[in-house]
Each structure stands twice: as C-alpha cells, then as structure tokens.
C-alpha cells in the first residue's frame, strides 16, 4: 500500500528509523534557545509600540489644537508651528510603524 506521499509504509518506517530521535529534554532546550534568540526582537517591538502610542497621542493633541478655529485669528504663527509639528510627528510615526512591521515580519518568519 502507498501513502499520500506515494511511499510504501515500509519505506516510511525505514526513513523514520534513520531519523535521529531528540529527547524531550533536548526539545525543551532547543525551544528555550529559540525563545532567547527572539527575546531582544520582542523587546524592541514592545519599545516601538510604546513610541507609536506616544506619537499617536501627540498627533491627536496637535490636531485638537489645530481644530480650534479661533487659533487661526489669534495666533497664525502658532498655527504654522503646529502644522509643522504635526507633519514631523506624522513622519516619525510612519517610520516607527514601518520599523514595527519589519520586526514583526522577522519575528513571524
């Protein structure tokens, strides 16, 4: 009889017998090693998430100030400063989000 892979049961058993068996202890050690390798990446992702949240809050605050129509009459210079600040914050946020995506792809890959 052939299996789905097109091999006979005897061939599959022979292949499995030649594969080195890893002990449970060795499996746990390898898993811990893999987690240790990924730990700095996870830590960096968490730091980026905090920075992203901070930039999002800043962007929201700036936008709220710019939504005040009276500011345009009272202090047009501040409007220009806020608009510049919003652009810079948005650019920084975009860069942080791009870096976050790159690191997450590394983590999943």
């Amino acid at each position: 009889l052939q299996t789905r892979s097109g091999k006979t049961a005897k061939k599959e058993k022979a292949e499995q017998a030649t594969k080195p068996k890893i002990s449970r202890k060795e499996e746990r050690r390898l898993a811990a090693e893999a987690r240790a390798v990924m730990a700095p990446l996870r830590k960096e992702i968490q730091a980026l998430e905090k920075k992203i949240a901070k930039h999002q809050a800043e962007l929201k605050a700036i936008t709220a100030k710019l939504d005040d129509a009276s500011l345009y009459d009272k202090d047009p210079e501040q409007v220009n400063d806020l608009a510049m600040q919003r652009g810079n914050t948005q650019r920084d946020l975009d860069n942080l989000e791009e870096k976050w995506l790159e690191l997450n792809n590394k983590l999943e890959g």
Side-chain angles (χ1 to χ4, degrees), residues 33-99:
E33 202 172 276
R35 285 190 307 272
V37 167
M38 293 300 197
L41 190 58
R42 283 192 178 97
K43 191 173 185 177
E44 190 174 352
I45 289 171
Q46 289 175 341
L48 281 171
E49 288 171 348
K50 288 179 183 179
K51 288 179 183 179
I52 288 170
K54 179 183 170 197
H55 279 72
Q56 287 171 336
E58 286 178 23
L59 201 57
K60 187 176 180 180
I62 294 167
T63 302
K65 289 177 185 177
L66 288 170
D67 286 345
D68 181 10
S70 66
L71 181 64
Y72 292 83
D73 293 329
K74 286 189 233 175
D75 195 353
E77 189 174 314
Q78 186 182 9
V79 172
N80 289 334
D81 291 343
L82 287 170
M84 184 77 82
Q85 189 178 358
R86 180 175 60 182
N88 291 337
T89 303
Q90 183 63 56
R91 183 196 65 234
D92 293 345
L93 179 60
D94 292 343
N95 290 337
L96 289 169
E97 288 174 340
E98 187 175 323
K99 180 73 173 172

